[in-house]
Amino acid sequence: MKTVTIIGFSGALASAITGVIDLFRMAGVTWARVHGEQPQPYFRTRLLTESGEACRCINGLTIGADGSWQDVAALGENDLVIIPTIGAPIDQVLAENPGLVGWLSQFQSTSDDQVRIASNCTGAFLLAEAGVLDRRQATTHWGFSSQFRQRFPDVDLQPDRLVTVDGHVACAGGGMAWWDLGVYLVERHAGAQVARELAKAFVIDAGRSSQAPYSALQARRYHSDPAILKLQEWLDSHYSEPVTLAALASLSGLTERSLIRRFKAATGDTPTGYLQVLRIESARQHLENSRFTIEEVTRLVGYEDVSSFSRLFRKHTGLAPGAYRLRFGR
């Protein structure tokens, strides 16, 4: 039986601890009980804190710990470590947990491609601080992606991804993505059948792959380059018009090469890519709040061909325009 170790710390999100424990403890159990079969648990779980004392979560709940991670001399080959969401201010948690960061650094490298350590949401900041994510793909909550990129430029951040796996490290995106992470890890460690049964028993949509439908354009404005901010403000009012890179360079007073470099450094995207995101954001708002047809929305945001717009919309949000309206329309 595999051991799943959840690391507790002051300011963690309680649901990302208790929910993950529930998922792993009930894998092979709930589905069997529903069908009157003999339960077969696949995982044991434990919550470890620095001192072995209870974990004080951000919502005020206190969760009893099973011991201290400092007392864990070595992890077995079947052990899986999970870092939950940081609910308190991120910089504060990183500064208050140097011992944990040091302990996590043992996961910087391994010859085993089986997932050994995972994070949910902003828990990725702890892994990155420990160097575990250097030169690896990772994801985190979309709202903190700019902060993450600025602090950890050596990490290949994929903020639109709901779950990333790179070698022995897995990361999940924002908020309740621990559902998806948990089901994925159950599949990796207990098999696809057990994971499918778990998802059905907990009524989890196991088909999600992107957090892009929930992301906000505002996350790309957390920078201090005045020329790029001014250009972004201009694009706010002119995104539906024909826009060329040459025109943007002229407006910014930069050469095209300098514009691309500074825009990428500030926002994590190219000017053309950002313009696409801006148009998609506007389309999302129309689909959520208006009764415009998809053809009308296409024209309103600056595109002519509906099929091309639909492909682009799906690329950015993971959903076709019609499916997006069905899910999020008011």
Side-chain angles (χ1 to χ4, degrees):
M1 187 180 293
K2 292 176 171 58
T3 299
V4 179
T5 298
I6 295 89
I7 302 298
F9 49 86
S10 179
L13 191 71
S15 60
I17 295 175
T18 59
V20 164
I21 291 174
D22 284 343
L23 276 181
F24 282 100
R25 291 292 290 269
M26 303 312 288
V29 175
T30 301
W31 184 260
R33 288 176 178 169
V34 168
H35 291 84
E37 301 170 354
Q38 180 64 35
Q40 181 185 349
Y42 287 85
F43 302 92
R44 62 171 66 90
T45 62
R46 60 181 178 179
L47 174 64
L48 301 183
T49 59
E50 182 169 16
S51 63
E53 296 180 353
C55 177
R56 180 75 171 178
C57 298
I58 191 63
N59 63 358
L61 287 179
T62 299
I63 305 174
D66 299 300
S68 167
W69 46 258
Q70 297 186 92
D71 297 332
V72 178
L75 295 168
E77 62 178 13
N78 288 327
D79 283 8
L80 173 64
V81 176
I82 298 180
I83 311 300
T85 305
I86 298 175
I90 294 171
D91 289 340
Q92 173 188 320
V93 171
L94 296 180
E96 291 177 349
N97 290 277
L100 176 56
V101 171
W103 185 81
L104 290 172
S105 66
Q106 69 181 290
F107 294 97
Q108 287 180 3
S109 62
T110 178
S111 58
D112 188 0
D113 280 339
Q114 178 67 286
V115 174
R116 298 291 308 283
I117 189 163
S119 65
N120 185 67
C121 193
T122 48
F125 278 78
L126 280 164
L127 291 187
E129 189 77 0
V132 177
L133 299 179
D134 285 354
R135 295 172 297 282
R136 293 186 182 277
Q137 287 192 353
T139 190
T140 189
H141 191 290
W142 55 263
F144 297 95
S145 58
S146 293
Q147 180 181 347
F148 190 98
R149 278 198 176 103
Q150 290 172 9
R151 186 168 184 131
F152 308 113
D154 291 335
V155 179
D156 181 10
L157 187 68
Q158 306 284 324
D160 288 345
R161 298 271 297 278
L162 198 63
V163 175
T164 60
V165 181
D166 194 328
H168 65 289
V169 185
C171 298
M176 305 302 287
W178 56 260
W179 283 356
D180 307 89
L181 177 66
V183 172
Y184 170 80
L185 292 174
V186 167
E187 179 178 357
R188 288 289 293 263
H189 288 271
Q193 183 64 27
V194 176
R196 282 195 294 269
E197 292 171 353
L198 179 67
K200 291 177 182 177
F202 276 74
V203 198
I204 296 172
D205 178 5
R208 302 190 303 169
S209 61
S210 172
Q211 60 177 336
Y214 309 94
S215 64
L217 192 66
Q218 189 64 24
R220 300 179 188 237
R221 295 179 185 266
Y222 296 147
H223 62 81
S224 56
D225 188 324
I228 303 306
L229 283 171
K230 183 178 180 180
L231 201 58
Q232 286 177 290
E233 290 173 359
W234 184 86
L235 284 169
D236 283 344
S237 303
H238 298 83
Y239 64 86
S240 62
E241 303 170 9
V243 178
T244 65
L245 184 62
L248 293 177
S250 177
L251 284 167
S252 65
L254 301 169
T255 65
E256 291 186 20
R257 177 175 292 183
S258 294
L259 171 62
I260 293 171
R261 177 179 55 79
R262 284 176 59 173
F263 207 99
K264 181 78 171 179
T267 70
D269 206 347
T270 64
T272 302
Y274 180 84
L275 176 61
Q276 288 182 346
V277 172
L278 196 62
R279 288 172 169 172
I280 295 301
E281 181 69 14
S282 177
R284 284 166 51 171
Q285 293 176 11
H286 284 306
L287 292 170
E288 291 174 15
N289 302 305
S290 78
R291 294 188 178 182
F292 290 129
T293 66
I294 293 174
E295 290 78 8
E296 289 171 328
V297 170
T298 300
R299 291 192 295 272
L300 283 170
V301 301
Y303 294 107
E304 294 296 330
D305 185 69
V306 175
S307 61
S308 297
F309 163 73
S310 296
R311 286 194 298 271
L312 185 64
F313 191 90
R314 180 188 286 275
K315 175 184 175 182
H316 281 271
T317 69
L319 297 169
Y324 184 91
R325 170 170 273 167
L326 286 173
R327 180 176 294 188
F328 297 105
R330 298 187 179 95

